[in-house]
PDB file of all heavy atoms in Angstrom:
ATOM      1  N   LYS A 234    -150.566  64.737 -24.043  1.00 93.00           N
ATOM      2  CA  LYS A 234    -150.889  63.394 -23.550  1.00 93.00           C
ATOM      3  C   LYS A 234    -150.776  63.338 -22.028  1.00 93.00           C
ATOM      4  O   LYS A 234    -149.713  63.565 -21.466  1.00 93.00           O
ATOM      5  CB  LYS A 234    -149.955  62.359 -24.178  1.00 93.00           C
ATOM      6  CG  LYS A 234    -150.085  62.265 -25.690  1.00 93.00           C
ATOM      7  CD  LYS A 234    -149.128  61.234 -26.263  1.00 93.00           C
ATOM      8  CE  LYS A 234    -149.264  61.140 -27.781  1.00 93.00           C
ATOM      9  NZ  LYS A 234    -148.333  60.154 -28.371  1.00 93.00           N
ATOM     10  N   SER A 235    -151.883  63.010 -21.380  1.00 93.00           N
ATOM     11  CA  SER A 235    -151.862  62.839 -19.931  1.00 93.00           C
ATOM     12  C   SER A 235    -152.092  61.381 -19.530  1.00 93.00           C
ATOM     13  O   SER A 235    -151.871  61.018 -18.378  1.00 93.00           O
ATOM     14  CB  SER A 235    -152.939  63.698 -19.275  1.00 93.00           C
ATOM     15  OG  SER A 235    -154.234  63.156 -19.515  1.00 93.00           O
ATOM     16  N   ASP A 236    -152.571  60.575 -20.484  1.00 89.00           N
ATOM     17  CA  ASP A 236    -152.912  59.165 -20.226  1.00 89.00           C
ATOM     18  C   ASP A 236    -154.031  59.014 -19.202  1.00 89.00           C
ATOM     19  O   ASP A 236    -154.173  57.963 -18.581  1.00 89.00           O
ATOM     20  CB  ASP A 236    -151.676  58.377 -19.784  1.00 89.00           C
ATOM     21  CG  ASP A 236    -150.634  58.274 -20.891  1.00 89.00           C
ATOM     22  OD1 ASP A 236    -151.038  58.231 -22.078  1.00 89.00           O
ATOM     23  OD2 ASP A 236    -149.435  58.265 -20.582  1.00 89.00           O
ATOM     24  N   LYS A 237    -154.805  60.068 -18.993  1.00 94.00           N
ATOM     25  CA  LYS A 237    -155.982  60.030 -18.137  1.00 94.00           C
ATOM     26  C   LYS A 237    -157.175  60.477 -18.963  1.00 94.00           C
ATOM     27  O   LYS A 237    -157.126  61.553 -19.576  1.00 94.00           O
ATOM     28  CB  LYS A 237    -155.823  60.944 -16.923  1.00 94.00           C
ATOM     29  CG  LYS A 237    -154.640  60.597 -16.024  1.00 94.00           C
ATOM     30  CD  LYS A 237    -154.903  59.338 -15.231  1.00 94.00           C
ATOM     31  CE  LYS A 237    -153.749  59.043 -14.291  1.00 94.00           C
ATOM     32  NZ  LYS A 237    -153.977  57.814 -13.511  1.00 94.00           N
ATOM     33  N   PRO A 238    -158.245  59.696 -19.019  1.00 94.00           N
ATOM     34  CA  PRO A 238    -159.346  60.026 -19.929  1.00 94.00           C
ATOM     35  C   PRO A 238    -160.052  61.331 -19.620  1.00 94.00           C
ATOM     36  O   PRO A 238    -160.670  61.929 -20.503  1.00 94.00           O
ATOM     37  CB  PRO A 238    -160.293  58.835 -19.776  1.00 94.00           C
ATOM     38  CG  PRO A 238    -159.964  58.226 -18.448  1.00 94.00           C
ATOM     39  CD  PRO A 238    -158.496  58.435 -18.281  1.00 94.00           C
ATOM     40  N   ASN A 239    -159.969  61.808 -18.392  1.00 97.00           N
ATOM     41  CA  ASN A 239    -160.665  63.038 -18.019  1.00 97.00           C
ATOM     42  C   ASN A 239    -159.721  64.212 -17.773  1.00 97.00           C
ATOM     43  O   ASN A 239    -160.148  65.275 -17.343  1.00 97.00           O
ATOM     44  CB  ASN A 239    -161.507  62.806 -16.762  1.00 97.00           C
ATOM     45  CG  ASN A 239    -160.657  62.387 -15.580  1.00 97.00           C
ATOM     46  OD1 ASN A 239    -159.820  61.500 -15.708  1.00 97.00           O
ATOM     47  ND2 ASN A 239    -160.865  63.001 -14.432  1.00 97.00           N
ATOM     48  N   ILE A 240    -158.423  64.025 -18.052  1.00 98.00           N
ATOM     49  CA  ILE A 240    -157.420  65.073 -17.867  1.00 98.00           C
ATOM     50  C   ILE A 240    -156.858  65.434 -19.230  1.00 98.00           C
ATOM     51  O   ILE A 240    -156.266  64.594 -19.911  1.00 98.00           O
ATOM     52  CB  ILE A 240    -156.277  64.617 -16.938  1.00 98.00           C
ATOM     53  CG1 ILE A 240    -156.828  64.038 -15.624  1.00 98.00           C
ATOM     54  CG2 ILE A 240    -155.319  65.762 -16.684  1.00 98.00           C
ATOM     55  CD1 ILE A 240    -157.439  65.053 -14.703  1.00 98.00           C
ATOM     56  N   TYR A 241    -157.027  66.683 -19.636  1.00 98.00           N
ATOM     57  CA  TYR A 241    -156.676  67.113 -20.986  1.00 98.00           C
ATOM     58  C   TYR A 241    -155.506  68.103 -20.936  1.00 98.00           C
ATOM     59  O   TYR A 241    -155.622  69.182 -20.352  1.00 98.00           O
ATOM     60  CB  TYR A 241    -157.874  67.774 -21.667  1.00 98.00           C
ATOM     61  CG  TYR A 241    -159.079  66.870 -21.790  1.00 98.00           C
ATOM     62  CD1 TYR A 241    -159.969  66.725 -20.711  1.00 98.00           C
ATOM     63  CD2 TYR A 241    -159.332  66.153 -22.950  1.00 98.00           C
ATOM     64  CE1 TYR A 241    -161.083  65.893 -20.812  1.00 98.00           C
ATOM     65  CE2 TYR A 241    -160.439  65.315 -23.056  1.00 98.00           C
ATOM     66  CZ  TYR A 241    -161.309  65.194 -21.990  1.00 98.00           C
ATOM     67  OH  TYR A 241    -162.402  64.373 -22.094  1.00 98.00           O
ATOM     68  N   ALA A 242    -154.385  67.724 -21.548  1.00 98.00           N
ATOM     69  CA  ALA A 242    -153.205  68.585 -21.630  1.00 98.00           C
ATOM     70  C   ALA A 242    -153.184  69.244 -23.004  1.00 98.00           C
ATOM     71  O   ALA A 242    -153.155  68.560 -24.023  1.00 98.00           O
ATOM     72  CB  ALA A 242    -151.936  67.760 -21.409  1.00 98.00           C
ATOM     73  N   LEU A 243    -153.175  70.581 -23.041  1.00 98.00           N
ATOM     74  CA  LEU A 243    -153.309  71.270 -24.323  1.00 98.00           C
ATOM     75  C   LEU A 243    -152.086  72.060 -24.766  1.00 98.00           C
ATOM     76  O   LEU A 243    -152.060  72.568 -25.883  1.00 98.00           O
ATOM     77  CB  LEU A 243    -154.518  72.211 -24.297  1.00 98.00           C
ATOM     78  CG  LEU A 243    -155.899  71.567 -24.424  1.00 98.00           C
ATOM     79  CD1 LEU A 243    -156.970  72.652 -24.515  1.00 98.00           C
ATOM     80  CD2 LEU A 243    -155.988  70.653 -25.638  1.00 98.00           C
ATOM     81  N   ASP A 244    -151.082  72.205 -23.920  1.00 98.00           N
ATOM     82  CA  ASP A 244    -149.872  72.917 -24.366  1.00 98.00           C
ATOM     83  C   ASP A 244    -149.025  71.961 -25.194  1.00 98.00           C
ATOM     84  O   ASP A 244    -148.512  70.966 -24.681  1.00 98.00           O
ATOM     85  CB  ASP A 244    -149.085  73.426 -23.162  1.00 98.00           C
ATOM     86  CG  ASP A 244    -147.859  74.244 -23.582  1.00 98.00           C
ATOM     87  OD1 ASP A 244    -147.714  74.520 -24.790  1.00 98.00           O
ATOM     88  OD2 ASP A 244    -147.063  74.604 -22.705  1.00 98.00           O
ATOM     89  N   THR A 245    -148.870  72.280 -26.474  1.00 98.00           N
ATOM     90  CA  THR A 245    -148.056  71.432 -27.355  1.00 98.00           C
ATOM     91  C   THR A 245    -146.894  72.210 -27.968  1.00 98.00           C
ATOM     92  O   THR A 245    -146.429  71.902 -29.057  1.00 98.00           O
ATOM     93  CB  THR A 245    -148.925  70.788 -28.447  1.00 98.00           C
ATOM     94  OG1 THR A 245    -149.796  71.763 -29.025  1.00 98.00           O
ATOM     95  CG2 THR A 245    -149.792  69.674 -27.863  1.00 98.00           C
ATOM     96  N   GLY A 246    -146.432  73.240 -27.266  1.00 97.00           N
ATOM     97  CA  GLY A 246    -145.167  73.883 -27.586  1.00 97.00           C
ATOM     98  C   GLY A 246    -145.097  74.601 -28.917  1.00 97.00           C
ATOM     99  O   GLY A 246    -144.075  74.536 -29.592  1.00 97.00           O
ATOM    100  N   CYS A 247    -146.132  75.327 -29.272  1.00 98.00           N
ATOM    101  CA  CYS A 247    -146.116  76.035 -30.549  1.00 98.00           C
ATOM    102  C   CYS A 247    -144.941  77.011 -30.639  1.00 98.00           C
ATOM    103  O   CYS A 247    -144.250  77.065 -31.659  1.00 98.00           O
ATOM    104  CB  CYS A 247    -147.435  76.769 -30.763  1.00 98.00           C
ATOM    105  SG  CYS A 247    -147.606  77.531 -32.391  1.00 98.00           S
ATOM    106  N   ALA A 248    -144.701  77.768 -29.591  1.00 96.00           N
ATOM    107  CA  ALA A 248    -143.630  78.766 -29.616  1.00 96.00           C
ATOM    108  C   ALA A 248    -142.250  78.133 -29.713  1.00 96.00           C
ATOM    109  O   ALA A 248    -141.273  78.807 -30.060  1.00 96.00           O
ATOM    110  CB  ALA A 248    -143.709  79.644 -28.373  1.00 96.00           C
ATOM    111  N   TRP A 249    -142.155  76.847 -29.438  1.00 95.00           N
ATOM    112  CA  TRP A 249    -140.883  76.129 -29.502  1.00 95.00           C
ATOM    113  C   TRP A 249    -140.755  75.323 -30.801  1.00 95.00           C
ATOM    114  O   TRP A 249    -139.943  74.414 -30.892  1.00 95.00           O
ATOM    115  CB  TRP A 249    -140.730  75.225 -28.287  1.00 95.00           C
ATOM    116  CG  TRP A 249    -140.405  75.999 -27.056  1.00 95.00           C
ATOM    117  CD1 TRP A 249    -139.168  76.243 -26.533  1.00 95.00           C
ATOM    118  CD2 TRP A 249    -141.330  76.678 -26.195  1.00 95.00           C
ATOM    119  NE1 TRP A 249    -139.262  77.025 -25.411  1.00 95.00           N
ATOM    120  CE2 TRP A 249    -140.575  77.316 -25.172  1.00 95.00           C
ATOM    121  CE3 TRP A 249    -142.712  76.826 -26.184  1.00 95.00           C
ATOM    122  CZ2 TRP A 249    -141.160  78.074 -24.157  1.00 95.00           C
ATOM    123  CZ3 TRP A 249    -143.303  77.588 -25.182  1.00 95.00           C
ATOM    124  CH2 TRP A 249    -142.535  78.192 -24.188  1.00 95.00           C
ATOM    125  N   GLY A 250    -141.603  75.646 -31.774  1.00 96.00           N
ATOM    126  CA  GLY A 250    -141.483  75.019 -33.080  1.00 96.00           C
ATOM    127  C   GLY A 250    -142.407  73.849 -33.314  1.00 96.00           C
ATOM    128  O   GLY A 250    -142.324  73.196 -34.364  1.00 96.00           O
ATOM    129  N   ASN A 251    -143.289  73.561 -32.381  1.00 97.00           N
ATOM    130  CA  ASN A 251    -144.216  72.445 -32.543  1.00 97.00           C
ATOM    131  C   ASN A 251    -145.559  72.960 -33.079  1.00 97.00           C
ATOM    132  O   ASN A 251    -145.597  73.550 -34.145  1.00 97.00           O
ATOM    133  CB  ASN A 251    -144.357  71.687 -31.231  1.00 97.00           C
ATOM    134  CG  ASN A 251    -143.058  71.020 -30.824  1.00 97.00           C
ATOM    135  OD1 ASN A 251    -142.415  70.359 -31.634  1.00 97.00           O
ATOM    136  ND2 ASN A 251    -142.642  71.204 -29.591  1.00 97.00           N
ATOM    137  N   HIS A 252    -146.637  72.754 -32.385  1.00 98.00           N
ATOM    138  CA  HIS A 252    -147.923  73.191 -32.906  1.00 98.00           C
ATOM    139  C   HIS A 252    -148.834  73.692 -31.796  1.00 98.00           C
ATOM    140  O   HIS A 252    -148.614  73.425 -30.617  1.00 98.00           O
ATOM    141  CB  HIS A 252    -148.603  72.062 -33.699  1.00 98.00           C
ATOM    142  CG  HIS A 252    -148.833  70.807 -32.906  1.00 98.00           C
ATOM    143  ND1 HIS A 252    -147.924  69.773 -32.857  1.00 98.00           N
ATOM    144  CD2 HIS A 252    -149.878  70.420 -32.122  1.00 98.00           C
ATOM    145  CE1 HIS A 252    -148.388  68.798 -32.085  1.00 98.00           C
ATOM    146  NE2 HIS A 252    -149.569  69.170 -31.631  1.00 98.00           N
ATOM    147  N   LEU A 253    -149.851  74.425 -32.208  1.00 98.00           N
ATOM    148  CA  LEU A 253    -150.879  74.918 -31.315  1.00 98.00           C
ATOM    149  C   LEU A 253    -152.047  73.952 -31.362  1.00 98.00           C
ATOM    150  O   LEU A 253    -152.443  73.508 -32.441  1.00 98.00           O
ATOM    151  CB  LEU A 253    -151.332  76.313 -31.758  1.00 98.00           C
ATOM    152  CG  LEU A 253    -152.207  77.140 -30.810  1.00 98.00           C
ATOM    153  CD1 LEU A 253    -151.462  77.443 -29.516  1.00 98.00           C
ATOM    154  CD2 LEU A 253    -152.630  78.443 -31.500  1.00 98.00           C
ATOM    155  N   SER A 254    -152.604  73.627 -30.192  1.00 98.00           N
ATOM    156  CA  SER A 254    -153.686  72.638 -30.121  1.00 98.00           C
ATOM    157  C   SER A 254    -154.963  73.254 -29.566  1.00 98.00           C
ATOM    158  O   SER A 254    -154.923  74.120 -28.691  1.00 98.00           O
ATOM    159  CB  SER A 254    -153.277  71.449 -29.244  1.00 98.00           C
ATOM    160  OG  SER A 254    -152.260  70.699 -29.863  1.00 98.00           O
TER     161      SER A 254
END
Side-chain angles (χ1 to χ4, degrees):
K234 297 179 180 179
S235 73
D236 294 328
K237 300 287 183 180
N239 60 312
I240 309 289
Y241 300 83
L243 284 185
D244 183 7
T245 46
C247 186
W249 285 265
N251 295 312
H252 58 269
L253 192 62
S254 291

